[in-house]
Amino acid sequence: MFKPLDILDEKDKRLRAKSKNVEFPLSKEDKKTIQHIIDHLTYSQIEAYEKKYNLRPGMGLAFPQLGMLKRIIVIVHEYEEGKFDNYVVINPVIISHSTEMIATEAGEGCLSVNREVEGHVPRFARVTVEGYDEDGNKIQIRAREDLSVAFQHEIDHLDGILFFDHINKKKPFYSENEIRLI
């Protein structure tokens, strides 16, 4: 029986803390939590389940959003209608990025931020992320566009950064001449 995750709200101080690197092997509890996050994110992107379980759609979640200060992120990317790629990265680090900057035109959202936040969040158009899979094997992922945004957003959570920290207070919106909007 599926039970939605209990996700921390932005007011919770734990979301501003820096997470600690994870040691291997992973605990059974951490593996169970990773699977629960994958289920939650997948269901949140399928309309019938989203309504059934009253979920807000989301494609990524970091362990700190559950009150666990561990450097683990999970992204469930719907690359085609009803088809998903799951990314689980432990101790992720962005090892390279493009010079080109992008922002999602509608702005970013976050499962820990239960309100609309106006403004563009500048992100790298492409990133290469290095880390470890659940078994402790070193992995490298090259991400672009919306997937690149998701990785940067989730890795920020590991350092206590929320997406709206990147919004320029004096100039919250960019034109297409200043930044490529996706």
Side-chain angles (χ1 to χ4, degrees):
M1 178 64 199
F2 174 75
K3 182 182 172 294
L5 290 164
D6 192 12
I7 299 169
L8 299 183
D9 182 77
E10 66 180 293
K11 293 174 196 77
D12 194 302
K13 287 180 176 31
R14 288 174 288 180
L15 285 174
R16 293 303 191 167
K18 215 166 166 41
S19 295
K20 305 249 183 289
N21 273 339
V22 177
E23 300 286 322
F24 290 95
L26 284 187
S27 69
K28 278 193 175 86
E29 189 58 37
D30 284 346
K31 285 186 175 191
K32 224 169 100 177
T33 301
I34 287 167
Q35 190 53 56
H36 194 171
I37 293 171
I38 290 170
D39 293 343
H40 184 106
L41 293 173
T42 304
Y43 285 170
S44 82
Q45 295 179 66
I46 299 171
E47 200 174 339
Y49 288 114
E50 174 202 332
K51 287 184 177 19
K52 179 178 178 179
Y53 296 113
N54 191 27
L55 302 173
R56 282 183 49 218
M59 72 183 276
L61 201 74
F63 265 48
Q65 291 176 272
L66 302 175
M68 304 161 85
L69 296 177
K70 298 176 178 186
R71 297 186 79 80
I72 301 175
I73 64 169
V74 179
I75 295 171
V76 176
H77 181 240
E78 187 172 23
Y79 61 91
E80 197 179 290
E81 180 78 31
K83 293 185 179 173
F84 300 92
D85 276 332
N86 299 335
Y87 299 92
V88 175
V89 188
I90 295 147
N91 303 333
V93 178
I94 295 172
I95 58 164
S96 69
H97 59 78
S98 62
T99 53
E100 183 190 12
M101 300 298 286
I102 59 174
T104 53
E105 195 160 4
E108 283 182 33
C110 178
L111 294 174
S112 290
V113 179
N114 298 301
R115 61 188 172 96
E116 286 292 315
V117 178
E118 297 282 311
H120 292 141
V121 180
R123 301 281 191 188
F124 300 113
R126 291 171 302 287
V127 293
T128 300
V129 177
E130 208 169 75
Y132 299 89
D133 67 12
E134 292 175 77
D135 299 318
N137 300 309
K138 194 167 200 129
I139 56 172
Q140 197 176 86
I141 299 161
R142 292 175 55 93
R144 50 193 307 272
E145 307 293 311
D146 58 336
L147 193 55
S148 172
V149 169
F151 271 103
Q152 292 168 79
H153 179 114
E154 298 313 326
I155 290 170
D156 274 352
H157 275 299
L158 304 180
D159 295 316
I161 299 166
L162 295 175
F163 75 93
F164 52 77
D165 298 341
H166 294 293
I167 297 172
N168 183 333
K169 307 287 178 271
K170 292 187 176 85
K171 187 182 187 320
F173 294 96
Y174 295 93
S175 71
E176 281 279 4
N177 302 339
E178 298 168 299
I179 201 166
R180 185 161 61 84
L181 300 174
I182 61 168

